[in-house]
């Protein structure tokens, strides 16, 4: 791992600085071209009026020179020709303004180009370059724990650098070693439940963090492999009154007048696990129910019956069909209802008539109730179910 990570780090550093060199050269070339174009523009704009002035002066000198030669010719001729030539010379001289010249700018008004290049840029670049990049012996966060969930994995991570102050975490996952990593979570929590995972299949995870007030992410943690052996929770398909998602882990109470309990496809809830329902609410009814049961009873319209524990949407808790005095808050949109169970007694029949007792904890909206559920048979696994009288309810189970 040390040699492999060192080789990879060298490759990353070399590639990064080679990219920087290419980018810096490109930027410097672009800046040089821009400055050269500025020189060309100033030169062309400044020299144009001077060129025009020079042309006017040269034209005046040439005209005066021609007139001078014509005057000399008039003087040198015979008397008859002199009069005619002098007359022509005089007329031409009157029409030519030899005493008029264009205004020539003074020397101080003529542009004199120069380049100002401040050496402080090199100092700034030097200071920035010498501070650019760091090499860390280990990432500031590492994966800590994988907890198997039905059809998913609860991934936990922790900060291992005491001096690092995290602002956000970023968790990535990939199926197998050949697939690319993809983001599954970005946020401030230190755990995340990754769902929609196939049982008995290895997934690789890695996590990184972003320091407080920083834009760049830290190096990735060492990739670790996790898997789940638990099949995903699924609702039973085909019950009139409920529509299911493609993965059958979300149930929607539709507009059908038919009512009844929607059960899980199989008894996939085991003691020691946490069963979670997350819902979108519709119109409540006192016969609504979310809970677990020993077996399916298709003739019932609620889990408020024998061999079942449930919570109604108004927060009432029922055990074997009897309402408890303790009550939880009403179910709200986006909130979660969780069921946790553990075996507390397994043996001969007790005075209560049961020989199997489960300690049940139901939590909703940061409150919970705890009670013992007495059964007359040993249950290694349980069904879960729900029932709603009115449309609009939607329940995700995991």
């Amino acid at each position: 791992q040390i040699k492999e990570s060192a080789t990879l780090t060298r490759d990353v550093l070399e590639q990064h600085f080679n990219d920087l060199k290419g980018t810096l050269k490109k930027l410097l070339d672009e800046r040089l071209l821009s400055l050269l174009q500025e020189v060309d523009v100033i030169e062309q704009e400044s020299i144009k009026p001077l060129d025009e002035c020079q042309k006017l002066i040269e034209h005046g000198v040439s005209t005066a020179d021609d007139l001078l030669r014509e005057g000399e010719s008039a003087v040198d001729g015979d008397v008859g020709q002199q009069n005619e030539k002098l007359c022509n010379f005089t007329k031409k001289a009157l029409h030519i303004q030899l005493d008029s010249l264009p205004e020539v700018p003074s020397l101080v008004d003529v542009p004199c180009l120069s380049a100002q290049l401040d050496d402080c840029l090199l100092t700034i670049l030097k200071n920035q370059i010498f501070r650019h990049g760091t090499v860390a012996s280990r990432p500031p966060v590492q994966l800590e724990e994988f907890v198997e969930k039905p059809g998913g994995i609860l991934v936990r991570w922790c900060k291992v650098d005491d001096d690092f102050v995290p602002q956000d975490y970023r968790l990535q996952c990939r199926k197998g070693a050949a697939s690319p990593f993809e983001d599954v979570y970005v946020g401030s929590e230190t755990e995340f439940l990754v769902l929609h995972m196939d049982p008995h299949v290895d997934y690789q995870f890695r996590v990184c963090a972003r320091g407080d007030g920083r834009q760049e992410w830290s190096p990735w943690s060492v990739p670790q492999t996790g898997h789940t052996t638990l099949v995903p929770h699924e609702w039973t398909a085909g019950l009139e009154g409920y529509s299911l998602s493609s993965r059958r882990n979300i149930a929607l109470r539709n507009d059908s007048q038919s009512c009844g309990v929607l059960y899980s496809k199989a008894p996939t809830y085991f003691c020691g696990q946490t069963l979670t329902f997350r819902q979108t609410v519709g119109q409540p009814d006192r016969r609504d129910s979310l809970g677990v049961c020993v077996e399916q009873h298709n003739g019932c319209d609620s889990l408020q019956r024998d061999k079942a524990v449930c919570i109604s949407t108004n927060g009432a808790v029922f055990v074997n069909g009897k309402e408890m005095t303790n009550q939880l808050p009403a179910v709200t949109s986006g909130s979660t209802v969780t069921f946790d169970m553990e075996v507390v007694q397994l043996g001969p029949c007790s005075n209560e008539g049961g020989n199997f007792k489960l300690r049940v904890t139901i939590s909703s909206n940061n409150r919970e109730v705890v009670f013992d559920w007495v059964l007359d048979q040993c249950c290694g696994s349980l069904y879960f179910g729900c029932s709603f009288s009115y449309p609009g309810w939607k329940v995700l189970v995991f």
Side-chain angles (χ1 to χ4, degrees), residues 15 21 37-39 43 79 93 99 101 118 124 149 167 191 198 213 218 237 266 274 295 347 359 368 374:
Q15 182 64 47
K21 289 178 185 177
Q37 289 175 344
E38 284 188 39
V39 173
E43 180 185 24
V79 176
D99 58 345
L101 290 175
D118 195 344
I124 296 172
K149 296 290 182 179
Q167 174 179 289
E191 67 177 33
D198 298 326
S218 73
T274 297
E295 54 195 7
R359 180 70 46 78
E368 64 180 28
V374 180

Side-chain angles (χ1 to χ4, degrees), residues 91-253:
K91 290 179 180 180
K92 183 180 290 187
L94 291 173
H95 290 89
I96 297 177
Q97 296 179 346
L98 296 179
D99 58 345
S100 176
L101 290 175
E103 183 180 358
V104 179
S106 63
L107 191 59
V108 295
D109 294 331
V110 176
C112 180
L113 279 69
S114 64
Q116 289 76 47
L117 302 173
D118 195 344
D119 290 339
C120 72
L121 175 62
L122 294 176
T123 303
I124 296 172
L125 287 176
K126 181 179 178 181
N127 293 334
Q128 292 294 326
I129 289 173
F130 283 167
R131 289 199 301 265
H132 182 67
T134 58
V135 175
S137 60
R138 57 178 55 86
V141 290
Q142 290 286 7
L143 295 168
E144 184 179 31
E145 184 181 17
F146 297 115
V147 180
E148 293 187 39
K149 296 290 182 179
I153 300 175
L154 177 63
V155 184
R156 293 191 175 106
W157 54 89
C158 62
K159 183 170 71 80
V160 295
D161 184 351
D162 294 336
D163 297 329
F164 184 79
V165 179
Q167 174 179 289
D168 295 304
Y169 297 99
R170 181 181 179 190
L171 178 67
Q172 288 191 336
C173 172
R174 68 180 178 184
K175 186 176 181 179
S179 304
F181 278 102
E182 295 182 356
D183 288 347
V184 293
Y185 173 75
V186 176
S188 58
E189 301 295 327
T190 56
E191 67 177 33
F192 182 73
L193 178 60
V194 185
L195 295 173
H196 312 315
M197 310 193 78
D198 298 326
H200 306 288
V201 173
D202 286 341
Y203 291 84
Q204 278 197 331
F205 297 88
R206 65 182 185 180
V207 67
C208 66
R210 180 163 49 194
D212 190 20
R214 305 296 294 269
Q215 294 296 321
E216 70 277 5
W217 292 98
S218 73
W220 290 105
S221 65
V222 177
Q224 295 189 38
T225 301
H227 70 276
T228 181
T229 59
L230 306 175
V231 296
H233 292 319
E234 294 182 10
W235 299 104
T236 299
L239 180 65
E240 187 179 358
Y242 293 90
S243 305
L244 305 184
S245 65
S246 59
R247 291 183 176 269
R248 296 186 292 278
N249 62 337
I250 300 177
L252 172 66
R253 182 67 167 93

